[in-house]
Structure formats: C-alpha cells, structure tokens
Amino acid sequence: MALTSRLSPASSGHRTHSERYQWIALSNVTLGMLMATINSSIILIALPDIFRGIKLNPLTPGNSSYLLWMLMSFLVVTAVLLVSLGRVGDMYGRVRMYNLGFAVFTFFSILLSITWLDGSAGALWLILMRVGQGVGGAFLMANTSAIITDAFPVERRGFALGIVGIAAMGGAFIGLVVGGLLAPVEWRLVFLVSVPFGLFGTIWAYLKLEEHGVRRPARIDWWGNATFAIGFLLVLVAITYGIEPYGHDTMGWTSPRVLTGLGVGVALLLAFVAIELRSDHPMLRLSLFKVRAFSMGSLATLLASLARGGLMFILIIWLQGIWLPQHGYSFSQTPLWAGIYMLPLTAGFLIAGPVSGILSDRFGARPFATAGMVGSALAFGLLIALPVSFAYWQFALVLLLMGLAMGVFSSPNTAGIMNSLPPDERGTGAGMTQTLQNSSMVLSIGVFFTLIILGLASSLPRALYLGLTSEHVPSGLAHAAAGLPPVGSLFAAFLGYNPMQTLLGPALPHLAAGRYLTGRSFFPSLIAPPFHSGLREAFAFALAACLLAAAASWARGKRYVHGVGTTTDSEAPADLAGAPLALAAVERPGSLGSRPEAPGRRAARAAGSESGASPTGEESGGHGRVRAGGAG
C-alpha cells in the first residue's frame, strides 16, 4: 500500500530502515548489552578467587571497603554517567558514542586482565579499572535503547527492546555461571573473556551501524552535568559506606561521612533541578516529565528496580550461606551452584520478554507492565512464605514466576517510555531510564543489606555465643567471635568462605569440636532464624515497591506515541491490524471527528513528526503540545 509506506515515518519518528539494517542494529546492541551485563555480575562469583589471586583477605578489618567497591564501582559509575552520556549522544551522534563505549570497555577489560600488583595496591588497581570499564558500559547502555528506537518502527519496537532486555537479564545470570567456571582456573580470565567480543563489537559497530537519530546541536550544560554527577555520586557513595560498620555500630548510617555525603548530594541534586529549569540547553529537559507515559513509566522503572535490585545478592547469600551447605555442598562449591540454581529466574525472563514485547506492540504497555509488577509482588509474597530450608522445586517455581513477571514488565515498559519521547531526546530519555534503574539498584542493595544485617544483629551474636560455648569453645574466644559485626558473616557467606573458619581463625586446630564447627551444618543452623527474619522484612519492602510500580504502570494511560498521540489497537480497522500505528490514528474510518486528509497534509504530518513539529509548525515535543491521555 502506497499510503502505508508514506505514513510509516509519521508513526515512528524516523525514516523507514531496511529490515536487514534493523537486524544488524539489534544484534550489535544485544552483543554490547550482553557483554556489559555479564561483566557486571561475573565478578560476584569470582571475588573469592580474585582476592586470593591478589593475596588480600577482604574480611580483615579495614579491607571490607575493597570488597564493597569491587562490587559497587561499576554500578555506581554507570548510574552517575548515563544521563549525561545519553545527552551527548543526542548532540553528537548515538552510534558514535556507542562505538566509543565498546572501545573503552574493551581497553579497560584488557587492563583488568594484566594486573601485576598484589595486596591493597592490586585491589585499588582493579577498582580503578572497573571504574573505567563502567565508563565504557555507560556509553553502551545510554545509547542502546535510543539506537533501537531509531532503527525500528513503532509496531516492532517492543519486540526489539524485549530482545535487548533478555540480553540484559540473561547476561546477569550467565555471568554468575561463567564466573564460577573460569575463576577457579585463572581469575584473570573473568576479565579477559570479554576482550574478543569487545574487539569484534567495536569493529562491527564502526563498519555497520548508521546514524539515523535526529540530532539537535547544542552547548554542553556543564553546570547541570557537574551538579548531577557529583550529587548523585555522593548519594550513591554514602549508601555504599552505610552498609559498612562504623565504630561500635553494626552499620554506618550514623557516620558523619555518610550523613555529609547524603546531605551534600541531595543539595546538589536540588541545585541541578534549579539549573535545568533556567538553562537554554539543559542536560535533561525536565518538561519531559509532563508527558504521563514518560513520567509514570520512569517511576515504574525506579520502583521495579528498587524491588529487585538487591534480590540477586540476597538469594546468593541465602543459597551460599544456608541452603547449599545444609544440602551437602562445601562452602568452596557454593558460588558456582548458587548461579546454577538461580537459572529458573533467567528462564522465565527469556520466555516472557519477547512475547510481552510483541504483544505490547499491538496492545500498548499498560496492561503488560502492570500485570508484570502484580506478578512480581505475588512472587515476593511466595518468597516470604517459603521456609528457610525449602524444597528446591518450590524455590524454582517461585523464581520462574519472578522471571516471567519481570519479563512481562520490562520490554513493554521500556517501549512505552521510548515511544513517548521526541526523536532528538531519545538518548537523554534512555539514559534517564537506565540511571533510575541502576541508581535504584544501588539503593535497593543498601536497603536489603540493612534489613538483613539488622535482623542478624538482633539475635545472631547471642545465638553464636551460646552455640560456641555449648561446643566447649572458651568463653573469651566465643565472646570475641560473637562480638564481630554481623556484616562480616554476611560477606563471608556471600564470598563462599567458611564463616566459622573466618571467625575462629588460628584457634581452630586447638579446639576439640573444630571439625564440627567448620562443617556444613553448624553455622547455617545458627544463622538461619535471624537471617530469615531480616529476609522477610526485605521481601515485604520489595512487595510494597512492586505494588506501587503496578499503580504507576496503570497510571501511564492509554498507548501514547510521540507525534501521534493516544490510541489503542482496538480503534484500528481489521485490515490495518499489521499497519503502522500512525495510519490507524490518521485514518480511522467512522471515528469521531475524523475525515479524509489531503495528500499534502499527510506529507506535512510525516515531515513534522520527523522534526518534532506539528503540521502547523507548533512544537509537538513531549514538553510542549500533547494530546489528551498522553500527558494526563
């Protein structure tokens, strides 16, 4: 149909691209996302071997900060830089920035794999190189969704973004298994494994990806970038240090360093908002939040990540510290098997992600994103009901439900957000979405760890003291072991170390019950009740966040596409079911107030959508004129 091809650009906000190029773009950004997310999680399982390789005990007092920053540095850096780099992509080219990200990520992966330092110097080197790797990852993540949105028409974006979402979720769990396999062989392999893929992706992106986005030249908003980056960094650093013990307190939330970081960080973020409202070339157009599809979708992203961000860490601790030892696995084996036993979560996401993306292309994001969050809330409720020593088939079914629910939510929600953005703001919008996701993951880890540690601190010391003295451990030694911060036991379980071996150390050979104390049942039976208490509180927090995310998802309104307005698939005639959304919106036979358009007006509409302007010359961006339902 000639009419369909003429109106397709109006629906998608860009020129129609060949199907071949769409698959080139999708496969390339999928590789980039897969590489970045594998590297963000591969280190979780490989940490024991990494610290042994650089001859550093992360559980020694004073060394726990190295452990925290090895875990959090990548996530913190990406969260801080995503919005800024998304805006830079809007200004100078998303493909160019994406390709630079591939190169930067690969360069720092090489530097990580050739570490020659030991001890504290080696740990600092690895942390700094992880920061550099995070910069490359931020370039990749900030522009991925925008490149897909530029390449795919509206009616196929949900499917394409669903594939990218599968890569993101799949990579996180593939990293756990790959790390468990490679690290015992040689810890440097966990960093080196991404180098060939990075080199291939860099060359492939340079040769094959094309700039199809709408660029709007502008000056860089230096003050906005600085206040946002520094403020956000201070908040995330404060959250990270809040997990650590401070003085005689089990956690660091009362530390002057943490309180100062939070106060100054929040003040700088408020200054950022004031600067952006007055800037002629803002880093982030805050008026985008007037579009309900964008603001509610972003809020749902934040709440969903807040609910599930700390989930992987807590499930790993549950499996490694309690369940796997109780079921015959040695502590050294638990990191690999924890990753394997969590695969049902990935399987659920792999099944639901592309299916929900395809369906949301036809019916809109609201029903699927809402149902996904309700399903996630149900899964968290079932996790609360599980006993601490569960039957694995029960655990696997709950993880499968969680994965299905996350998959149903993820790609429709992302597609709904990206469809609501004007073409020249897609990089910024994608960066904001990823920033909300990554920053709320850091906050979620802080909340989950805090609730778990508070649960442990309330009863673990007494239980540990009584358990040790009942096995004829000298009272002074038992009191010293019980007096250590619970976070040490938590991190020991997370690393796959034997917690009692860590707590009792050199005294073990002189204890008659030393073999039993370091066995597979003593510590798990002690930690299980207090851990389960904190675990239920953490899951209750996540359940509430999921229900709020479901409410935000429903509040986004009907399907909204920038330049087209609000529509639903049911409004399109049957013979246009597979046609672009704009055709249905422009020519709905018999719809209220519609009439045939002259060819010249159709051409004007198509051209106006490409530039972000209405046929009458009015600005129709997400911060200007919006049809009813799109902006509330």
Side-chain angles (χ1 to χ4, degrees):
M1 290 173 57
L3 180 60
T4 300
S5 63
R6 196 159 55 236
L7 287 178
S8 293
S11 70
S12 59
H14 57 74
R15 295 182 300 277
T16 302
H17 309 306
S18 70
E19 188 165 330
R20 181 174 178 271
Y21 176 73
Q22 291 171 9
W23 284 107
I24 289 173
L26 178 59
S27 54
N28 192 281
V29 301
T30 299
L31 174 64
M33 183 61 74
L34 192 64
M35 186 179 72
T37 52
I38 284 176
N39 273 271
S40 69
S41 64
I42 197 171
I43 200 169
L44 298 180
I45 298 299
L47 277 173
D49 294 288
I50 291 172
F51 280 115
R52 277 193 290 269
I54 62 174
K55 301 177 179 62
L56 182 73
N57 182 1
L59 300 179
T60 300
N63 287 348
S64 59
S65 59
Y66 296 128
L67 170 61
L68 274 175
W69 282 111
M70 285 286 285
L71 285 171
M72 306 287 273
S73 55
F74 186 92
L75 203 57
V76 168
V77 171
T78 53
V80 168
L81 292 179
L82 280 166
V83 176
S84 298
L85 297 183
R87 182 59 178 157
V88 170
D90 285 339
M91 292 164 58
Y92 299 108
R94 293 155 193 160
V95 168
R96 183 181 299 174
M97 297 300 107
Y98 176 85
N99 199 37
L100 177 61
F102 249 130
V104 170
F105 192 96
T106 305
F107 175 71
F108 281 100
S109 296
I110 295 171
L111 291 181
L112 279 162
S113 66
I114 60 173
T115 304
W116 67 93
L117 299 168
D118 290 333
S120 299
L124 285 172
W125 171 269
L126 291 175
I127 290 167
L128 290 174
M129 295 307 104
R130 283 286 285 175
V131 168
Q133 206 178 39
V135 173
F139 272 109
L140 290 171
M141 294 178 184
N143 294 285
T144 291
S145 296
I147 290 173
I148 290 295
T149 306
D150 289 338
F152 281 80
V154 170
E155 68 274 11
R156 299 190 66 193
R157 280 180 197 158
F159 164 75
L161 291 168
I163 297 297
V164 176
I166 286 173
M169 175 63 74
F173 286 94
I174 291 171
L176 297 178
V177 178
V178 172
L181 293 172
L182 294 181
V185 178
E186 169 55 55
W187 66 267
R188 289 176 174 84
L189 290 176
V190 303
F191 302 117
L192 194 61
V193 69
S194 63
V195 172
F197 298 101
L199 291 173
F200 173 74
T202 303
I203 296 169
W204 189 22
Y206 179 78
L207 294 176
K208 294 296 185 180
L209 289 185
E210 304 166 3
E211 291 284 4
H212 289 296
V214 176
R215 279 196 259 174
R216 177 180 291 178
R219 292 193 302 272
I220 293 178
D221 176 18
W222 293 109
W223 283 108
N225 278 273
T227 51
F228 181 83
I230 297 172
F232 218 61
L233 180 63
L234 287 173
V235 170
L236 296 182
V237 167
I239 292 171
T240 303
Y241 280 118
I243 300 172
E244 284 193 304
Y246 171 69
H248 298 292
D249 296 332
T250 56
M251 305 200 73
W253 295 111
T254 58
S255 162
R257 175 170 57 177
V258 171
L259 295 174
T260 302
L262 288 174
V264 176
V266 170
L268 285 173
L269 291 176
L270 293 174
F272 163 75
V273 173
I275 290 168
E276 296 305 279
L277 290 173
R278 290 174 171 82
S279 176
D280 293 330
H281 302 282
M283 181 186 94
L284 173 65
R285 294 187 188 279
L286 298 177
S287 53
L288 287 174
F289 288 97
K290 294 179 181 178
V291 182
R292 188 172 6 142
F294 178 77
S295 58
M296 290 297 104
S298 298
L299 179 60
T301 298
L302 186 148
L303 291 166
S305 296
L306 196 60
R308 67 187 188 216
L311 178 65
M312 185 186 297
F313 290 87
I314 298 306
L315 291 181
I316 288 173
I317 292 170
W318 192 357
L319 290 171
Q320 292 184 188
I322 299 174
W323 195 86
L324 286 169
Q326 287 181 334
H327 287 77
Y329 294 87
S330 67
F331 282 97
S332 61
Q333 293 176 312
T334 57
L336 173 61
W337 285 101
I340 292 172
Y341 277 125
M342 287 170 63
L343 287 176
L345 187 63
T346 308
F349 197 95
L350 293 177
I351 294 168
V355 174
S356 65
I358 293 170
L359 292 174
S360 71
D361 285 335
R362 182 174 178 85
F363 299 106
R366 180 164 68 168
F368 301 99
T370 305
M373 282 297 95
V374 171
S376 295
L378 175 61
F380 276 114
L382 292 173
L383 284 173
I384 292 172
L386 272 182
V388 71
S389 184
F390 47 79
Y392 178 70
W393 67 268
Q394 299 171 330
F395 185 72
L397 285 178
V398 175
L399 289 192
L400 180 64
L401 172 62
M402 181 73 76
L404 289 169
M406 288 180 180
V408 169
F409 168 80
S410 182
S411 56
N413 186 66
T414 303
I417 292 171
M418 296 306 297
N419 283 338
S420 71
L421 294 169
D424 62 336
E425 297 284 355
R426 286 173 183 161
T428 306
M432 173 54 71
T433 302
Q434 285 286 344
T435 292
L436 292 172
Q437 184 168 303
N438 286 17
S439 59
S440 54
M441 283 182 67
V442 175
L443 179 58
S444 176
I445 292 168
V447 171
F448 273 54
F449 268 75
T450 298
L451 292 173
I452 294 292
I453 291 170
L454 288 176
L456 291 176
S458 64
S459 54
L460 180 62
R462 176 173 171 76
L464 189 57
Y465 176 80
L466 293 176
L468 289 172
T469 52
S470 69
E471 297 299 328
H472 309 294
V473 174
S475 178
L477 181 60
H479 182 74
L484 292 175
V487 69
S489 300
L490 203 62
F491 284 158
F494 178 74
L495 290 168
Y497 292 173
N498 188 317
M500 294 313 303
Q501 213 159 29
T502 303
L503 289 171
L504 299 176
L508 274 173
H510 308 292
L511 299 175
R515 193 178 187 87
Y516 169 68
L517 294 175
T518 57
R520 297 168 183 163
S521 61
F522 179 74
F523 181 78
S525 63
L526 279 181
I527 199 176
F531 178 82
H532 197 224
S533 173
L535 191 73
R536 293 167 73 176
E537 290 183 16
F539 287 155
F541 166 81
L543 188 154
C546 285
L547 292 177
L548 291 174
S553 293
W554 188 258
R556 77 180 68 224
K558 296 180 180 179
R559 188 180 187 189
Y560 174 75
V561 179
H562 173 79
V564 175
T566 304
T567 188
T568 59
D569 187 76
S570 60
E571 295 172 326
D575 62 330
L576 297 178
L581 181 61
L583 182 59
V586 172
E587 288 200 329
R588 293 196 302 267
S591 64
L592 182 63
S594 67
R595 62 177 183 274
E597 291 190 303
R601 184 165 179 80
R602 290 177 195 140
R605 181 186 293 275
S609 179
E610 177 69 25
S611 64
S614 69
T616 61
E618 297 173 5
E619 183 73 11
S620 62
H623 40 78
R625 190 168 66 79
V626 182
R627 291 192 185 182

